Amino acid sequence: MRQPGAEVFDLGYQRYTGPREGRNRARWALFWNGVRTLLGIGRGGKSKILPVLLFISAITPAVVFVVILAFIGDLAAAVEEGSFVPGPADYYGVVALVLILFGAIMAPELLGPDRRDNVLPLYLVRPLTTLDYLVVRLLAFAVIALALVYSGQAVLFAGQAFTSDEPLQYLRDNWADIPRILLVGVVIALFISVATLAVSAYVVRRAVAAAVIIGAYIVMGGVVDGLTFAENCTNFEANFGESPWLEEQECDYLIGDFAPYVGLLQPAGVTDNINALVFDLDPQSPGSLAVSELPDLTPVAAYLVWVLVPAAALWNRYRRIRL
């Protein structure tokens, strides 16, 4: 019986002699992959529709505010007359829901496929650690979230400047708003990034994760507002644009002295309270009214808890992953 002969082919295999860029190159590649995933780059047109719609939704309130300013005319006169004059803090309050929707829909897209397809060990074959993976994914999400919040603020600030009678004078009078805008933007982006990624780490399917995030946001917000509803201090005769809540007035809460602490459990109020502190705003909701009775550092401490606890849960979910 004739046996087939064996042949050896010299294909010229050689050792890799190029540059070895190491850990930072792997981090950058993972970061850029996350940005491309969130924006739908490199995929079909349908994958880009949702990110585009979310960006449009985030910028639309700023455009509407600019149109309002254009019709109001003189900004100073409008303030004296009590007309509604939108500002950076008003924009953050309006756009918060858009940012939550963005986080609820896009965060599962960033983490879910890697876990569902079991490719995390392939990332760790490279000079990456589990902590590297989580931090880089978080940064990718936070950068897009910051782009959302800052793009609208840029439109609004520019609109306010150019619709005023003296744009340069407006810039000189309002330059202090810029660091406040940057600070609150980071606060909002970090909270939404950590909270939504933490939920997405435990729920693989995007639709289920989005439903959990949006449901928690709406249900917890409604429950907290109901429990912190205050009697004998609501000002229904306030002018449009002014705070509907009276300051420095005793209020009767449904749950008594526990109301300020229950108000800290409202997801929407986590960033709203910081926004109010930074821009020196009046409370705009029952929960915020209750929280305003606490020392100023209390909402800051509550914000840190809301960020650190989901971050710890996120780390706990991934720390056991090994090669």
Side-chain angles (χ1 to χ4, degrees), residues 140-161:
F141 190 92
V143 165
I144 301 300
L146 281 174
L148 279 170
V149 298
Y150 287 159
S151 58
Q153 289 285 13
V155 172
L156 180 60
F157 192 84
Q160 288 176 315

Side-chain angles (χ1 to χ4, degrees), residues 43 61 107 144 158 161 223 295:
R43 294 184 291 172
I144 301 300
V223 170

Side-chain angles (χ1 to χ4, degrees), residues 2-76:
R2 186 177 180 180
Q3 298 293 332
E7 296 182 69
V8 177
F9 295 92
D10 183 7
L11 300 180
Y13 288 118
Q14 297 180 2
R15 292 176 59 86
Y16 176 74
T17 58
R20 299 181 183 273
E21 298 177 322
R23 193 173 178 183
N24 287 333
R25 179 65 180 86
R27 289 169 174 169
W28 171 252
L30 187 61
F31 170 82
W32 180 237
N33 171 262
V35 172
R36 288 170 60 89
T37 299
L38 292 171
L39 298 180
I41 299 174
R43 294 184 291 172
K46 292 182 179 179
S47 300
K48 301 177 178 63
I49 293 176
L50 188 57
V52 170
L53 289 177
L54 288 171
F55 268 96
I56 293 174
S57 300
I59 295 177
T60 298
V63 175
V64 172
F65 283 174
V66 171
V67 172
I68 293 174
L69 287 172
F71 279 101
I72 287 177
D74 187 8
L75 192 62

